[in-house]
Amino acid sequence: MKVLVAVKRVVDYNVKVRVKADNSGVDLANVKMSMNPFCEIAVEEAVRLKEKGVASEIVVVTVGPATAQEQLRTALALGADRAVLVESAEELTSLAVAKLLKAVVDKEQPQLVILGKQAIDSDNNQTGQMLAALSGYAQGTFASKVEIAGDKVNVTREVDGGLQTVSLNLPAIVTTDLRLNEPRYASLPNIMKAKKKPLETVTPDALGVSTASTNKTLKVEAPAARSAGIKVKSVAELVEKLKNEAKVI
Amino acid sequence: MTILVIAEHENGAVAPATLNTVAAAAKIGGDVHVLVAGAGVGGVAEAAAKIAGVAKVLVADNAAYAHQLPENVAPLIAALAQEAGGAAYSHILAPATSNGKNILPRVAAQLDVDQISEIISVESADTFKRPIYAGNAIATVQSTAAIKVITVRATGFDAVAAEGGSAAIEAVAAAHDAGKSSFVGEELAKSDRPELTAAKIVVSGGRGMQNGDNFKHLYALADKLGAAVGASRAAVDAGFVPNDMQVGQTGKIVAPQLYIAVGISGAIQHLAGMKDSKVIVAINKDEEAPIFQVADYGLVADLFEAIPELEKLV
């Protein structure tokens, strides 16, 4: 089966971002960018399905600026077969991205689409679900285990109280949670080979998708800072402070 | 303006997060309707009708809605929102629980509107605040959509009273069964302690706990305090505790009166899940640990000595 994996270029998870002084957004100039951690897990899962002989081809897709090619090349080095870049310089909402991905799904006709559960920049947790709605497919979100069984896929999901398993008809959409797998690193020879793998670039216009949004970000602020705390010397002092100063126990 | 709140419920009871979501709806203003979708949920509907400030409860009681499969529940919500050909509701709100996050974006896409995820405050009927970048920035977002689809971070709003209302209950006949998915089974972690996201006190352990067995020290302390027990991702990944105990950007978001972080360094992703707690206590033997930068009270000590002593003194 063909597996489509969507990845996103985001600010590296270790970077402590700063809000711009004019409150227009966060400052991403000269900040390290990487593949969203949940997307790495999605790529890894697709590669494992291929290694098991379940997947025959892995197509990796991203919606983003020209520089997002770096993240596609990373996915190719990890084992994806070819890549599609939907090039858009502006920042798009999850719905717009889902519509663009739907156009790619229509063209590629994959049996399984794997996305991360959320991007660590917008923290939206929407795109996979929206893509499932637009394509009419079943969805297995927050997956910690994925098993293909004939024309169905069994997905174990991380829910608030524990784990839930659902069976979905293929084609289906799966979004990854942290514990689905541990992504591998790309080896140097594979990074070199990835440079020769096909990478196609398309535009939203060519896909016939409007990326207009009903959401507008008015401003971005730094969160209220916590006032500095104190260090106590002993457990007894801690208990005394909690009882008499903070009055929380 | 009429607002539809999607009720979160489990084991025949209304989940607390529903009360926080109704509170957010009350801040927007207008009539508040609550949808209870599920199988055998008559009791839940009656409980929902008693929530203060609720004008009407819609009950969709059908086998298709058991286990809240999004393929079936999302079309139900979308159909209710568009009843009579226009926007029957100005806002659709769900708590940002795993169910809410699973279902609501599917509804938004069916309605062709952008969703606003995990709001922490209501500025006006169309403008909301929400955290981005693991809580390191707060975005103010305005929606021009005819139907505004929103998930609500429960810790951002004080719960409304669960009693005092007397809403009318109305059955919804429509049954949407997409036939694309089915429930296989579930494995729920059992706990007698308070629910993590609703607890007044949370005691959390990290990699410093060294193994799962050592969490018994935290359980003993938690039981003495009437607290819930949480964990950092490091503790979950190391297999010390199950993942539904994880507090952080990718786990649960808590804002208790008192959060005690034990053997937790305080990575950005963990702070995203607990830094709105009223009082934060950090117990760590590394005095350089980032957790001390957000802690109101820090104790540099070996947790294996400090925790039993703390348990004795509280």
Side-chain angles (χ1 to χ4, degrees):
Chain A
M1 67 162 75
K2 189 194 270 189
V3 179
L4 184 73
V5 181
V7 301
K8 185 176 183 185
R9 173 183 171 91
V10 298
V11 62
D12 189 85
Y13 74 101
N14 276 317
V15 171
K16 182 135 173 47
V17 296
R18 275 177 214 290
V19 172
K20 284 186 196 166
D22 64 357
N23 292 115
S24 61
V26 298
D27 192 357
L28 296 180
N30 304 317
V31 166
K32 186 184 175 201
M33 304 295 279
S34 301
M35 191 191 296
N36 180 43
F38 291 99
C39 303
E40 289 182 353
I41 295 170
V43 172
E44 175 68 27
E45 195 64 16
V47 173
R48 289 186 189 191
L49 285 173
K50 194 174 179 194
E51 286 169 347
K52 276 190 226 159
V54 177
S56 50
E57 188 188 22
I58 302 169
V59 182
V60 60
V61 56
T62 193
V63 178
T67 45
Q69 285 193 28
E70 287 170 30
Q71 279 63 45
L72 290 176
R73 290 289 173 204
T74 303
L76 292 170
L78 291 168
D81 296 294
R82 58 190 175 85
V84 179
L85 168 65
V86 182
E87 195 174 330
S88 167
E90 54 186 322
E91 205 168 308
L92 301 177
T93 62
S94 296
L95 182 63
V97 171
K99 285 178 178 173
L100 291 165
L101 293 177
K102 159 77 163 58
V104 176
V105 165
D106 285 347
K107 201 167 139 227
E108 297 283 347
Q109 297 287 318
Q111 283 295 94
L112 188 66
V113 185
I114 313 180
L115 303 89
K117 81 163 176 184
Q118 76 188 59
I120 59 166
D121 51 0
S122 63
D123 282 335
N124 270 337
N125 195 332
Q126 299 173 4
T127 308
Q129 295 90 315
M130 287 178 160
L131 176 60
L134 297 174
S135 56
Y137 295 163
Q139 67 189 52
T141 53
F142 324 143
S144 60
K145 196 170 161 198
V146 175
E147 280 177 323
I148 308 288
D151 60 352
K152 292 186 189 294
V153 56
N154 287 329
V155 179
T156 301
R157 308 177 51 234
E158 296 195 5
V159 296
D160 287 337
L163 299 171
Q164 179 196 61
T165 305
V166 290
S167 169
L168 313 174
N169 293 359
L170 292 172
I173 311 286
V174 167
T175 74
T176 63
D177 215 319
L178 280 171
R179 268 158 293 277
L180 181 59
N181 59 50
E182 200 154 311
R184 69 193 68 188
Y185 293 98
S187 67
L188 188 59
N190 285 345
I191 293 171
M192 301 310 288
K193 274 185 221 154
K195 290 184 177 166
K196 295 201 179 71
K197 287 186 180 176
L199 192 157
E200 177 196 356
T201 301
V202 293
T203 62
D205 285 346
L207 292 171
V209 174
S210 158
T211 55
S213 164
T214 58
N215 278 1
K216 195 172 136 199
T217 299
L218 302 181
K219 65 176 172 192
V220 175
E221 301 158 286
R226 291 188 76 96
S227 50
I230 55 160
K231 286 228 172 92
V232 294
K233 290 197 172 53
S234 68
V235 173
E237 188 187 348
L238 175 63
V239 173
E240 191 271 319
K241 295 269 190 207
L242 290 177
K243 276 188 177 151
N244 303 325
E245 198 175 276
K247 297 188 183 7
V248 285
I249 56 171
Chain B
M1 239 174 19
T2 314
I3 301 163
L4 183 65
V5 170
I6 315 301
E8 173 87 9
H9 58 88
E10 55 205 1
N11 308 324
V14 175
T18 308
L19 304 176
N20 306 87
T21 309
V22 171
K27 286 215 167 135
I28 295 169
D31 279 352
V32 178
H33 294 182
V34 171
L35 171 69
V36 177
V41 287
V44 179
E46 278 168 32
K50 292 192 185 115
I51 298 173
V54 174
K56 186 155 91 176
V57 174
L58 305 173
V59 199
D61 200 332
N62 193 292
Y65 305 135
H67 309 294
Q68 311 277 319
L69 293 175
E71 295 79 7
N72 300 347
V73 178
L76 165 73
I77 298 168
L80 287 172
Q82 288 177 314
E83 223 159 50
Y89 288 99
S90 58
H91 298 72
I92 301 178
L93 268 56
T97 54
S98 55
N99 271 327
K101 291 176 186 176
N102 193 26
I103 295 167
L104 222 60
R106 198 165 173 120
V107 175
Q110 283 190 283
L111 298 174
D112 195 23
V113 299
D114 281 300
Q115 177 181 302
I116 304 181
S117 292
E118 299 215 28
I119 62 163
I120 53 169
S121 86
V122 173
E123 302 297 296
S124 72
D126 67 358
T127 307
F128 308 88
K129 285 194 176 180
R130 62 176 301 262
I132 53 176
Y133 290 91
N136 286 305
I138 308 294
T140 305
V141 184
Q142 186 176 42
S143 169
T144 55
I147 305 175
K148 294 164 183 57
V149 178
I150 296 163
T151 61
V152 176
R153 181 174 284 192
T155 58
F157 299 88
D158 292 329
V160 297
E163 300 284 338
S166 56
I169 300 178
E170 193 176 293
V172 178
H176 298 265
D177 191 348
K180 291 188 169 126
S181 56
S182 58
F183 172 81
V184 177
E186 62 190 357
E187 207 179 301
L188 300 179
K190 290 196 172 58
S191 174
D192 299 331
R193 292 185 191 87
E195 217 261 313
L196 194 52
T197 51
K200 293 232 173 344
I201 303 178
V202 173
V203 181
S204 277
R207 201 192 296 277
M209 297 305 295
Q210 293 178 5
N211 59 50
D213 196 39
N214 284 336
F215 263 75
K216 66 177 186 240
H217 300 301
L218 295 191
Y219 296 138
L221 174 63
D223 288 342
K224 200 115 181 242
L225 292 166
V229 178
S232 69
R233 187 187 161 198
V236 173
D237 279 355
F240 299 172
V241 290
N243 58 42
D244 56 306
M245 284 172 62
Q246 184 186 325
V247 172
Q249 184 186 20
T250 58
K252 292 193 176 141
I253 313 287
V254 301
Q257 294 288 307
L258 173 60
Y259 188 91
I260 305 178
V262 182
I264 292 177
S265 65
I268 296 173
Q269 293 79 9
H270 185 74
L271 300 183
M274 46 64 81
K275 69 187 169 75
D276 291 326
S277 306
K278 188 164 167 270
V279 175
I280 297 173
V281 170
I283 300 174
N284 205 305
K285 63 179 173 190
D286 173 13
E287 61 180 314
E288 302 294 319
I291 190 79
F292 287 119
Q293 290 163 21
V294 300
D296 299 282
Y297 301 107
L299 175 64
V300 180
D302 182 349
L303 67 95
F304 294 106
E305 286 163 24
I307 295 301
E309 195 184 339
L310 185 57
E311 191 207 328
K312 238 179 276 162
L313 290 175
V314 294

